[in-house]
Amino acid sequence: MIKLGNAFKKGKAFIPFITAGDPNLSSTERFVRVLEEAGADAIELGIPFSDPTAEGETIEAADARALKSGASVEKIFDMTERIKRNVPLLFMTYANPVFVYGYDRFFSRCAHAGVSGVIVPDVPFEESPEIKVVAKEHGVTVIDMVAPTSDERVNAICEGSEGFIYLVSSLGVTGVRSEFDLDIGAAVEKIRKVTKTPVCVGFGISGPEKAAEMAAKADGAIIGSAIVKIIAEGGAKADRKLFEFSSAVARAVHGC
């Protein structure tokens, strides 16, 4: 398993997100290699779910396509185990798939597949210890999220954080935005008073320019919807555009 800290070897981290199984698992397996070659410092794989409450239309549609293509937690684990990579891999999922699969079984498979971290956006911080305890037994990190509504809870959330902190830029669901609800610089400064854990900004980043802006204020940028849209348009033939876009973002982030 590759340590999450490796994602910050270049200083700033570019973390792209794609939905596992969109348009099919064989393409996802290839896309992971494309993203690494493009300069990704870690890669986030979304496990498709029928009720993705944190997702906007773009990723929700990707989940639907992935489920229709036959993607399942079991098949995603099998695919992940086959991928040879040199950067950390994370899963973004929801509480229900983890619970149904079984906490111990899920995180055991994560460890066997080399999944370094897991993001579970619909589990409140106060309820996260139940998952974190099991994940830690298998050497897997559960990533904490700080949102614009966290306010007084920021200290509690960040004090025990590991890997990196996922700073949510805006209220609502995922999706490209022209403006953010949160003063990113002020939020990062507040977090850094509590912990030295790196901070990566996600939700709404549209491309290289905005990614560089966020990375300059934090320790990295996470891009999902803009990349998922490229795959939606190109399907199994999205490799070239995926590489070109991701390369441009990686250069922008690493140049901060």
Side-chain angles (χ1 to χ4, degrees), residues 168-254:
V168 179
S169 69
S170 300
L171 296 168
V173 296
T174 57
V176 172
R177 291 173 171 81
S178 57
E179 296 181 1
F180 299 123
D181 298 325
L182 190 65
D183 182 333
I184 302 299
V188 172
E189 185 178 345
K190 186 174 183 178
I191 292 170
R192 284 179 173 160
K193 289 179 180 179
V194 183
T195 181
K196 293 182 180 179
T197 303
V199 182
C200 293
V201 183
F203 276 51
I205 300 175
S206 57
E209 184 177 346
K210 187 60 69 173
E213 180 185 334
M214 296 298 104
K217 297 176 180 178
D219 300 293
I222 301 168
I223 298 187
S225 294
I227 289 175
V228 171
K229 186 177 180 180
I230 291 172
I231 295 172
E233 294 172 348
K237 297 181 179 180
D239 302 58
R240 181 175 178 180
K241 288 187 176 179
L242 184 62
F243 179 83
E244 291 173 349
F245 178 83
S246 300
S247 295
V249 175
R251 289 194 298 271
V253 168
H254 297 151

Side-chain angles (χ1 to χ4, degrees), residues 153-167:
R153 300 162 67 240
V154 169
N155 286 10
I157 293 172
C158 297
E159 282 176 346
S161 60
E162 297 181 352
F164 66 87
I165 292 166
Y166 193 128
L167 179 59

Side-chain angles (χ1 to χ4, degrees), residues 39-116:
D41 300 291
I43 298 168
E44 185 182 334
L45 276 183
I47 295 178
F49 183 47
S50 57
D51 186 24
T53 54
E55 313 299 357
E57 292 182 3
T58 300
I59 296 178
E60 186 176 9
D63 277 14
R65 289 192 298 270
L67 291 171
K68 187 176 181 180
S69 76
S72 66
V73 175
E74 193 69 31
K75 291 178 180 179
I76 290 168
F77 273 127
D78 291 341
M79 175 206 68
T80 305
E81 289 172 359
R82 294 194 299 268
I83 301 175
K84 293 181 180 180
R85 57 192 179 276
N86 297 303
V87 298
L89 191 69
L90 300 99
F91 277 157
M92 200 295 290
T93 185
Y94 287 86
N96 182 270
V98 181
F99 177 79
V100 171
Y101 199 80
Y103 290 166
D104 189 72
R105 183 178 172 223
F106 182 87
F107 288 110
S108 175
R109 287 297 307 270
C110 282
H112 190 264
V115 176
S116 306

Side-chain angles (χ1 to χ4, degrees), residues 20-30 69-72 75-76 79 82:
D22 178 30
N24 51 59
L25 286 171
S26 61
S27 292
T28 300
E29 188 173 347
R30 193 174 66 253
S69 76
S72 66
K75 291 178 180 179
I76 290 168
M79 175 206 68
R82 294 194 299 268

